[in-house]
Amino acid sequence: MNENIWGSRTWVGKVVVLAALLIGTFFCVWMGQHIRDYTGRSLYRFLNWDIFLAWVPVVLALLLDGMMSIYRQRRMFWPMKIVTGVLVVIWLLFYPNSAYLVTDMIHPFVHYKPTGRFVHDLEFWYHLFLFVTAAVVGLGLGTYSLSSLQLLVAERYGTVRSWVFACIVLVLSSIGIYIGRFVRWNSWDVFTDPHKIWSDVIRIIGDPAELHFMLVFSGMMLVISLVGCLIMRGGMFRLQRRGYRW
């Protein structure tokens, strides 16, 4: 029996990790409603939507796990290969939504109104703990889905290529987070408004100041995502499956 938990194929491991992420998710939803009740203000309703989008890559990763399980038992025909390829592309487009939750930590600075020694104000800690938890959940969701796909890549193409795949995904995701936060694209804009995306890319490349800001911001997000991934996966659990060591 596989003793791994994080990203493992055993149903016990999947249930344990998903249960932990669900607990964090429910805490965020509850805390957001508590803050609205406590302050009498309509705050942070958007966070529920952001968390929902952060879960989409996990659902897609589970679907890919299921398809690969079928593939191991029988030959994968070309229609299934096409479906698998489409799911991977959609997963890549939605993957930045997980770590994007880290950038939501700017909102307490906008909506919390400090009075006096705010560190002794309970409301301050409500705001802070809500978004710290959301950031951790986002990193956890991203780590979970990336680990699942990286393990599939390692199984088929080897460990080295799986790490190349993971690094490329993290780089693209960091740029995607910048785009989502500041340019305000959505994952589905690639299909619904590709012309706008192209014009925005040209504008960013042609503006040295914005290009510099994007590179620095994306670099910091890359470090945060990578460190979070290594701590949550490599530090908490040692991944190993069928002879592949991570």
Side-chain angles (χ1 to χ4, degrees):
M1 179 177 178
N2 191 348
E3 296 178 354
N4 301 312
I5 296 181
W6 195 277
S8 72
R9 293 295 190 277
T10 62
W11 69 269
V12 174
K14 292 293 185 183
V15 169
V16 168
V17 177
L18 291 177
L21 292 171
L22 279 171
I23 290 172
T25 298
F26 290 142
F27 176 82
C28 290
V29 173
W30 173 82
M31 180 60 78
Q33 184 58 50
H34 178 70
I35 290 175
R36 287 187 287 274
D37 295 338
Y38 186 87
T39 63
R41 301 164 61 195
S42 181
L43 295 174
Y44 307 143
R45 295 187 184 277
F46 65 86
L47 187 60
N48 293 341
W49 175 247
D50 287 351
I51 293 176
F52 169 79
L53 292 177
W55 271 92
V56 171
V58 172
V59 174
L60 293 172
L62 291 173
L63 288 175
L64 286 167
D65 277 347
M67 295 189 68
M68 290 301 102
S69 178
I70 295 174
Y71 171 68
R72 293 185 190 100
Q73 299 174 17
R74 64 189 69 177
R75 183 179 179 183
M76 180 182 285
F77 297 101
W78 66 265
M80 186 176 288
K81 292 182 179 179
I82 293 176
V83 173
T84 300
V86 171
L87 286 177
V88 171
V89 171
I90 297 175
W91 174 84
L92 183 61
L93 291 174
F94 277 89
Y95 178 77
N97 289 296
S98 296
Y100 178 87
L101 289 174
V102 173
T103 68
D104 277 340
M105 293 181 69
I106 65 171
H107 290 287
F109 296 97
V110 177
H111 298 289
Y112 171 69
K113 308 299 181 183
T115 57
R117 297 185 63 185
F118 65 91
V119 293
H120 294 282
D121 184 357
L122 191 57
E123 183 188 341
F124 164 74
W125 294 104
Y126 288 156
H127 290 259
L128 181 64
F129 286 156
L130 168 61
F131 285 96
V132 168
T133 304
V136 172
V137 169
L139 291 174
L141 291 170
T143 299
Y144 182 90
S145 65
L146 180 59
S147 296
S148 291
L149 266 74
Q150 188 181 356
L151 193 56
L152 293 177
V153 174
E155 185 177 332
R156 188 170 181 84
Y157 300 105
T159 302
V160 174
R161 291 182 181 179
S162 76
W163 276 107
V164 172
F165 165 79
C167 290
I168 292 174
V169 169
L170 288 175
V171 170
L172 294 176
S173 173
S174 300
I175 297 173
I177 291 169
Y178 168 84
I179 290 171
R181 171 54 65 189
F182 298 104
V183 189
R184 308 307 296 173
W185 295 351
N186 294 305
S187 300
W188 49 87
D189 287 339
V190 173
F191 305 106
T192 61
D193 200 357
H195 296 292
K196 182 179 182 299
I197 292 178
W198 177 250
S199 63
D200 284 340
V201 168
I202 297 300
R203 177 180 57 80
I204 293 173
I205 294 176
D207 186 340
E210 185 168 1
L211 181 61
H212 177 262
F213 181 76
M214 182 194 74
L215 292 176
V216 174
F217 178 89
S218 299
M220 291 188 292
M221 278 305 312
L222 175 60
V223 172
I224 292 172
S225 299
L226 182 59
V227 170
C229 181
L230 292 175
I231 290 175
M232 292 181 176
R233 189 181 69 190
M236 294 175 64
F237 304 102
R238 182 172 61 88
L239 289 181
Q240 177 184 351
R241 184 178 186 274
R242 293 185 180 179
Y244 296 100
R245 294 181 180 273
W246 299 60

